[in-house]
């Protein structure tokens, strides 16, 4: 075990779990954060990520990323950063693995459809739904709903992008049952997980975009950080064909971002004078982040990716179809809740907004392919555009 910094989260000082559990060694010598990580990995919600959209919807190609592989890649980057900074690797990994569990089928297109469907019932937010899934919908234990994760894991999932001053209904409900101090910053482990997510998708989406033919290298070279990384890759491998260097470009960019993040975070920690995990929460600002120069370059890359990949005409056509699928399913189940699986149909609330939220919970748990199959069964035939 690596030596931890004094501002790292310590499982021995955890604020505990909502429900008291029996202690003992019957299930192995794991600490609380290790148990949280394992509970997430063993959950149904985590397994479903293998068939949920990352960039490309219901991808037929075996080589494109999905939510599951993305989450694993985030965890790899997060653990590396946590180890170098002396943070708790297990908590960091748990947060990285669970951060996308609340995404419905078809990614942001599915989320947008559920927001509209629940407009009169409080809306839908994938981050809040992550907490709802892990504290209520998952039910592997006999005496309580949810995975009964530690306060630190739930806090990190709620606030990894910073303090939450206007939580949606799902996050408010989770907070009401187990207060998470939503208006403060989260642990450094949660801050690392948030930026590890950015680093992963900033770079791996380049790889998938090139593989799908929606991006070209010539387009990418208009982005300064990419042009610099490409020049470095060509200089290191002058005798290698350009088509073999795309992966080297992605790797080098990840390394550049990670090194910048580590250096800047160390600088901020030293300047802040924090000496404990509680000091991190009370610091009043994020202590983990890119340098100003890298932050601007990373924003430039994001702007490029939105303009050229995420908002590519083929992607927008796929998103419109996905929106229609989720909307159609919501309307079909609202008209006939008995069409849901038996265990879900038996628990439908009689009143609003509980009824609509229950239907949305059911849809949000679907994989892309399951949603498509149920739409064809309940609503009718649908022609999937290129990009599905």
């Amino acid at each position: 075990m690596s030596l931890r910094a004094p501002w790292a989260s310590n499982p021995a000082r955890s604020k505990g779990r909502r429900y008291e559990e029996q202690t003992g060694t019957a299930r192995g010598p794991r600490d609380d954060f290790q148990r949280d990580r394992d509970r997430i990995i063993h959950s149904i919600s985590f397994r479903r990520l293998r068939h949920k959209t990352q960039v490309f919807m219901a991808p037929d190609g075996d080589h494109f990323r999905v939510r599951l592989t993305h989450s694993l890649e985030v965890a790899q980057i997060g653990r590396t950063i946590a180890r170098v900074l002396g943070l708790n690797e297990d908590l960091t990994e748990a947060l990285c693995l669970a951060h996308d569990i609340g995404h419905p089928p078809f990614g942001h297109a599915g989320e947008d459809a559920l927001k509209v469907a629940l407009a009169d019932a409080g809306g839908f937010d994938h981050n809040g739904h992550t907490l709802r899934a892990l504290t209520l919908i998952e039910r592997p234990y006999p005496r309580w709903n949810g995975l009964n994760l530690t306060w630190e894991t739930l806090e990190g999932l709620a606030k990894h992008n910073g303090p939450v001053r206007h939580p949606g209904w799902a996050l408010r409900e989770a907070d009401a049952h187990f207060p998470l101090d939503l208006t403060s910053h989260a642990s450094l482990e949660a801050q690392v997980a948030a930026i590890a997510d950015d680093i992963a998708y900033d770079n791996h989406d380049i790889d998938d975009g090139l593989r799908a033919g929606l991006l070209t290298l010539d387009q990418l070279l208009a982005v300064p950080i990419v042009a610099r990384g490409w020049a470095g890759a060509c200089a290191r491998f002058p005798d290698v064909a350009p088509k073999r260097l795309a992966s080297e470009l992605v790797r080098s960019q990840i390394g550049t971002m990670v090194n910048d993040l580590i250096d800047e975070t160390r600088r901020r920690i030293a300047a802040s004078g924090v000496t404990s995990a509680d000091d991190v929460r009370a610091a009043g600002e994020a202590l983990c982040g890119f340098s100003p120069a890298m932050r601007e370059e990373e924003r430039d890359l994001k702007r490029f990716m939105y303009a050229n990949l995420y908002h590519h005409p083929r992607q927008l056509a796929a998103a419109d179809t996905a929106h229609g699928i989720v909307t159609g399913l919501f309307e079909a189940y609202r008209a006939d809740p008995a069409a849901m699986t038996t265990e879900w149909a038996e628990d439908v609330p009689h009143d609003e907004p509980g009824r609509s939220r229950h239907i949305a919970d059911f849809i949000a748990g679907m994989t892309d392919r399951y949603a498509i199959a149920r739409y064809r069964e309940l609503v009718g035939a649908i022609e999937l555009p290129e990009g599905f």
Side-chain angles (χ1 to χ4, degrees):
M1 181 180 69
S2 57
L3 184 65
R4 292 194 187 120
W7 42 80
S9 296
N10 185 343
R13 296 177 183 173
S14 170
K15 295 184 181 180
R17 306 179 187 275
R18 180 182 175 188
Y19 302 104
E20 185 177 353
E21 299 185 12
Q22 294 178 339
T23 58
T25 59
R27 295 184 181 177
R30 296 169 295 166
D31 65 38
D32 280 343
F33 297 158
Q34 290 173 318
R35 289 182 187 277
D36 279 3
R37 176 202 59 208
D38 295 350
R39 290 177 185 193
I40 290 162
I41 290 173
H42 296 153
S43 69
I44 292 173
S45 296
F46 184 73
R47 293 198 292 274
R48 285 175 178 157
L49 295 179
R50 66 178 173 166
H51 293 306
K52 287 196 174 189
T53 294
Q54 175 59 22
V55 175
F56 299 103
M57 298 178 189
D60 289 328
D62 292 337
H63 299 163
F64 292 112
R65 287 164 176 85
V66 292
R67 287 284 166 188
L68 179 62
T69 55
H70 165 70
S71 297
L72 294 172
E73 289 170 339
V74 174
Q76 178 222 11
I77 293 170
R79 280 199 77 114
T80 297
I81 297 168
R83 179 171 299 183
V84 173
L85 293 175
L87 303 178
N88 189 289
E89 295 177 45
D90 298 311
L91 177 58
T92 304
E93 184 178 22
L95 295 169
C96 292
L97 292 171
H99 80 283
D100 270 355
I101 274 177
H103 272 285
F106 313 119
H108 293 289
E111 180 171 6
D112 289 343
L114 287 180
K115 283 180 182 178
V116 174
L118 292 183
D120 296 328
F124 182 89
D125 160 53
H126 77 265
N127 196 49
H129 193 72
T130 294
L131 273 290
R132 187 167 172 83
L134 296 176
T135 62
L136 178 66
I137 298 173
E138 286 285 337
R139 298 182 180 180
Y141 298 104
R143 296 191 181 278
W144 56 72
N145 294 335
L147 301 185
N148 202 30
L149 302 174
T150 62
W151 185 91
E152 289 76 12
T153 297
L154 295 176
E155 179 228 20
L157 291 170
K159 305 188 302 188
H160 61 278
N161 288 321
V164 183
R165 305 196 185 280
H166 304 289
W169 67 268
L171 186 50
R172 282 201 307 272
E173 284 192 356
D175 182 64
H177 292 301
F178 196 21
L180 299 172
D181 191 17
L182 294 178
T183 58
S184 72
H185 281 273
S187 64
L188 272 167
E189 287 82 1
Q191 295 179 39
V192 165
I195 302 187
D197 179 29
D198 286 343
I199 293 172
Y201 77 72
D202 281 344
N203 293 289
H204 293 142
D205 289 358
I206 288 175
D207 188 29
D208 279 357
L210 289 169
R211 188 182 302 278
L214 301 191
L215 297 178
T216 68
L217 183 59
D218 286 343
Q219 285 177 299
L220 282 161
L221 292 180
V223 183
I225 190 174
V226 177
R228 194 167 60 250
W230 181 252
C234 292
R236 289 191 298 276
F237 301 98
D239 57 339
V240 174
K243 65 181 181 180
R244 291 288 302 271
L245 293 182
S247 295
E248 178 65 17
L249 167 67
V250 170
R251 281 193 296 271
S252 66
Q253 283 195 174
I254 291 173
T256 297
M257 288 183 173
V258 166
N259 288 334
D260 179 273
L261 176 69
I262 290 169
D263 290 342
E264 175 65 12
T265 301
R266 282 173 167 163
R267 187 195 66 77
R268 293 186 192 183
I269 290 171
S272 71
V274 298
T275 59
S276 69
D278 287 338
D279 287 348
V280 171
R281 295 184 174 91
E285 62 180 353
L287 297 181
C288 178
F290 293 126
S291 67
M294 178 58 71
R295 183 171 64 247
E296 189 55 41
E297 287 201 310
E298 194 261 349
R299 286 173 178 169
D300 285 343
L301 176 57
K302 273 189 169 63
R303 285 189 283 266
F304 171 88
M305 295 296 283
Y306 272 95
N308 294 281
L309 180 60
Y310 308 138
H311 292 166
H312 188 283
R314 198 178 93 181
Q315 292 291 86
L316 293 179
D320 284 345
T321 300
H323 194 286
I325 292 171
V326 173
T327 300
L329 286 173
F330 186 86
E331 293 174 350
Y333 290 129
R334 187 164 54 181
D336 181 16
M340 293 189 287
T341 58
T342 301
E343 63 178 318
W344 281 86
E346 290 176 346
D347 291 337
V348 177
H350 297 294
D351 300 323
E352 293 291 357
R355 180 186 178 96
S356 291
R357 291 174 177 178
H358 184 80
I359 293 169
D361 285 344
F362 179 60
I363 295 172
M366 292 181 176
T367 62
D368 294 10
R369 60 179 63 185
Y370 185 81
I372 292 168
R374 296 289 74 74
Y375 182 93
R376 286 172 168 158
E377 173 189 326
L378 297 171
V379 182
I382 185 169
E383 183 176 346
L384 301 179
E386 185 182 10
F388 263 84

